Amino acid sequence: MFMDFLVLKSDYDREKLLTDLKIAKGIQSFINPEKINGKTFSLSKETYGWEALPLNTINGKTDNTSAIPVNIKDNNSYLPNCILKECKYIQEILNELNTEIYLVRIMKLKTGGYISPHVDKLIDKKNVIRCQIPIVTNNEVIFILDGKRYNMKAGNLYFINVGEKVHWLKNNSKNDRYTLIIDMKPTKEITEKIC
């Protein structure tokens, strides 16, 4: 049985993460998944205010749909896109993970934004886990996993069992929240920590 929530590594350089965020935002605008070709990728009608900026995508694409998760088992080829190639510190973090990296995105939850309760069904805990490093956050951002509130700090790498546990998020702060979301193959070391 997997743990629900665990800090895998702490104290990434927040200033370098902020620098890469600024670089990424200067290359491409965030994608609003609620408005792609007239189709919504929101989890429910109650979800609003989230956007994504793709970094590591199928065939290195940067189009609107490249920020939307797909089934990893479809043997898709994930590559750094032109945005990630300019974000040197994020590249360094991904390389240090020393595993197969799939979809990587910077996710934004606007001030007042809300992601309704859901389970990330495309996550397969044996082959794919979802981790995140908050870049800009604060204590007014509410993250609930399996009925329990967790406060995530900027610069820490978290494993969160989003593939099995219901979770939701609300940004009650006056600032947009940014977090680096990493879908990856769990290493033996990580598997031992989270099991």
Side-chain angles (χ1 to χ4, degrees):
M1 181 168 176
F2 273 46
M3 295 186 73
D4 288 348
F5 186 93
L6 183 69
V7 178
L8 293 174
K9 183 173 179 185
S10 58
D11 298 327
Y12 282 107
D13 190 316
R14 285 181 263 174
E15 289 305 314
K16 288 182 179 179
L17 284 165
L18 287 169
T19 297
D20 276 2
L21 174 62
K22 184 177 180 181
I23 290 167
K25 287 166 69 174
I27 296 171
Q28 180 171 309
S29 299
F30 276 76
I31 294 166
N32 182 338
E34 298 174 48
K35 299 178 181 177
I36 296 175
N37 298 329
K39 181 178 178 184
T40 180
F41 287 88
S42 282
L43 306 157
S44 77
K45 291 179 183 175
E46 289 79 35
T47 292
Y48 59 90
W50 69 284
E51 296 180 343
L53 192 58
L55 300 178
N56 201 70
T57 58
I58 296 171
N59 298 322
K61 293 183 178 182
T62 58
D63 62 356
N64 283 355
T65 58
S66 63
I68 306 302
V70 297
N71 195 331
I72 303 297
K73 290 181 181 176
D74 292 340
N75 295 320
N76 293 302
S77 176
Y78 285 85
L79 300 168
N81 64 22
C82 61
I83 304 165
L84 179 54
K85 288 178 181 176
E86 298 302 317
C87 298
K88 303 302 182 191
Y89 187 59
I90 293 175
Q91 285 183 57
E92 184 180 318
I93 290 169
L94 296 175
N95 288 335
E96 283 177 4
L97 292 171
N98 199 25
T99 190
E100 201 165 335
I101 302 293
Y102 305 116
L103 182 63
V104 177
R105 301 165 288 168
I106 297 174
M107 302 292 287
K108 174 167 80 170
L109 186 61
K110 295 178 182 178
T111 183
Y114 172 68
I115 297 177
S116 65
H118 68 286
V119 174
D120 295 335
K121 296 188 183 204
L122 291 176
I123 298 299
D124 167 10
K125 63 185 177 184
K126 292 180 182 176
N127 299 306
V128 183
I129 59 170
R130 180 162 290 160
C131 297
Q132 68 174 274
I133 302 173
I135 300 171
V136 176
T137 191
N138 62 60
N139 289 335
E140 293 180 73
V141 175
I142 297 170
F143 179 82
I144 305 292
L145 178 78
D146 199 28
K148 183 176 178 184
R149 182 173 180 177
Y150 293 92
N151 288 321
M152 290 183 269
K153 297 183 190 277
N156 288 347
L157 173 67
Y158 295 92
F159 162 76
I160 306 168
N161 193 0
V162 295
E164 293 180 331
K165 303 292 182 171
V166 174
H167 56 285
W168 60 273
L169 187 66
K170 178 81 168 81
N171 185 358
N172 289 325
S173 76
K174 295 179 180 177
N175 300 302
D176 295 339
R177 176 193 191 255
Y178 294 92
T179 191
L180 180 67
I181 303 288
I182 306 166
D183 291 352
M184 65 182 186
K185 184 173 183 131
T187 62
K188 182 179 178 185
E189 178 185 1
I190 289 174
T191 300
E192 287 171 357
K193 286 181 181 179
I194 64 179
C195 282

